[in-house]
Amino acid sequence: MGSLLVIDAGNTRTKWAVLQYENGAILQHGVMDRHEVPTAWHGCDAVAVANVAGQARHDMLKELLKPLGLPVRWHASTAHACGLSNGYTIPEQLGVDRWAAMVGAWQHYQRSCVVVNAGTALTVDMIEKTSPGQARFIGGIIVPGMKLIQNSIVNAAANIGEIHGVFQDFPLSTQDAVYSGSLYALAGAVDNLVQLLSEHCGHVVPCMLSGGDAATLLPLLQKHVLAREYQLEDHLVLQGLWYLERELS
Ligand SMILES: Nc1ncnc2c1ncn2[C@@H]1O[C@H](COP(=O)(O)OP(=O)(O)O)[C@@H](O)[C@H]1O
Ligand SMILES: CC(C)(COP(=O)(O)O)[C@@H](O)C(=O)NCCC(=O)O
Ligand SMILES: [K+]
């Protein structure tokens, strides 16, 4: 098997990468911006999809992929994979993007860690290492993402229009107050769970961040608590799909 096409279909964007099957190296990657097959998809040997954007996106991708005639695996969260067990009461209910990101982070760190997906929604998930090579997803949260949280205020408050603010420690305008408040809310959620898992494990745990807003969140997270370890991972869900595929093949 030469190359694997991995697709992360989120509620805002559909991200993809062509990976070297043997080692997961990213050969090409992109974001779908129209309903047509990127040229890079031709020549792949198999496809792995993490879709959390519903049936319409599934059907669109299925149609686009059909002419390629490739084996397509539509991933879903399971109770166990790649040494990680899924603590969700109903394992299949866990968003497969969250699951793939956690698999990617666990394979990368092999340590207890916090996994952040800053997308349409911000998800913050906690992984506890239980023994060498084994870990458990012990809980996580779902928060409206940066666009949603700002739009919610704009739509609800008569005196607040479109937001084009910037982050300020001490915001002194409506624009900056809403933008900074949104960032403080999301960074605060991440901060809280890094602190919680660190106390639970008895040592500072690393935090891996991915998603469209991860780079926006990072500076605020790194601002105050210097002893923390943050890692930006642009293609975490896509890399997690590679680990999941490798285990299933
Ligand atoms: N080029 C972009 N297009 C859309 N959203 C972007 C872009 N760059 C950053 N973002 C931010 O990232 C979020 C979407 O991140 P993404 O990881 O694509 O979400 P999802 O996985 O839910 O599709 C948006 O809410 C927006 O705030
Ligand atoms: C929480 C999510 C909407 C995040 O998706 P995204 O922001 O990447 O579009 C997605 O992981 C999802 O649909 N989860 C299912 C519910 C759950 O994880 O409990
Ligand atoms: K929905």
Side-chain angles (χ1 to χ4, degrees):
M1 162 102 66
S3 62
L4 173 70
L5 170 60
V6 287
I7 300 173
D8 168 13
N11 286 285
T12 298
R13 298 182 298 174
T14 299
K15 288 76 68 183
W16 60 267
V18 175
L19 308 180
Q20 202 141 39
Y21 194 79
E22 63 191 314
N23 58 17
I26 296 182
L27 303 172
Q28 297 190 69
H29 64 86
V31 180
M32 284 186 77
D33 53 12
R34 59 182 70 87
H35 285 196
E36 63 187 41
V37 172
T39 46
W41 290 16
H42 296 283
C44 290
D45 299 289
V47 189
V49 187
N51 176 37
V52 293
Q55 191 61 43
R57 187 76 58 82
H58 173 101
D59 297 345
M60 183 272 280
L61 288 169
K62 193 174 177 192
E63 273 318 297
L64 279 182
L65 289 166
K66 202 185 291 181
L68 300 181
L70 298 174
V72 182
R73 197 193 312 270
W74 302 87
H75 281 264
S77 297
T78 56
H80 298 272
C82 307
L84 184 62
S85 68
N86 178 351
Y88 242 37
T89 311
I90 305 170
E92 302 71 32
Q93 186 184 76
L94 177 69
V96 65
D97 56 342
R98 296 172 67 187
W99 182 236
M102 282 192 262
V103 165
W106 168 241
Q107 289 295 327
H108 176 92
Y109 280 118
Q110 293 283 328
R111 295 155 63 188
S112 298
C113 61
V114 173
V115 184
V116 174
N117 243 326
T120 308
L122 169 85
T123 54
V124 187
D125 292 313
M126 295 174 280
I127 294 172
E128 180 180 20
K129 180 174 180 178
T130 50
S131 63
Q134 297 297 317
R136 183 166 182 75
F137 163 52
I138 57 173
I141 59 170
I142 300 173
V143 183
M146 276 301 283
K147 270 207 170 55
L148 285 180
I149 200 166
Q150 294 174 80
N151 291 343
S152 65
I153 299 263
V154 168
N155 296 336
N159 296 336
I160 299 181
E162 269 313 297
I163 297 302
H164 304 289
V166 294
F167 179 79
Q168 299 288 353
D169 288 333
F170 304 94
L172 288 173
S173 73
T174 304
Q175 289 289 319
D176 293 349
V178 173
Y179 184 81
S180 307
S182 304
L183 212 53
Y184 270 125
L186 270 58
V190 174
D191 232 15
N192 266 281
L193 294 196
V194 172
Q195 183 65 27
L196 174 70
L197 187 61
S198 298
E199 286 164 3
H200 177 80
C201 296
H203 56 81
V204 176
V205 297
C207 174
M208 187 167 265
L209 299 107
S210 68
D213 283 318
T216 306
L217 273 177
L218 189 59
L220 185 52
L221 289 168
Q222 292 177 316
K223 208 178 172 79
H224 300 302
V225 193
L226 300 179
R228 294 259 177 86
E229 182 186 339
Y230 295 102
Q231 167 105 28
L232 207 50
E233 189 58 68
D234 286 342
H235 309 293
L236 189 56
V237 173
L238 297 173
Q239 283 163 339
L241 280 172
W242 178 72
Y243 287 109
L244 289 168
E245 272 297 302
R246 207 176 48 162
E247 182 171 80
L248 289 170
S249 310

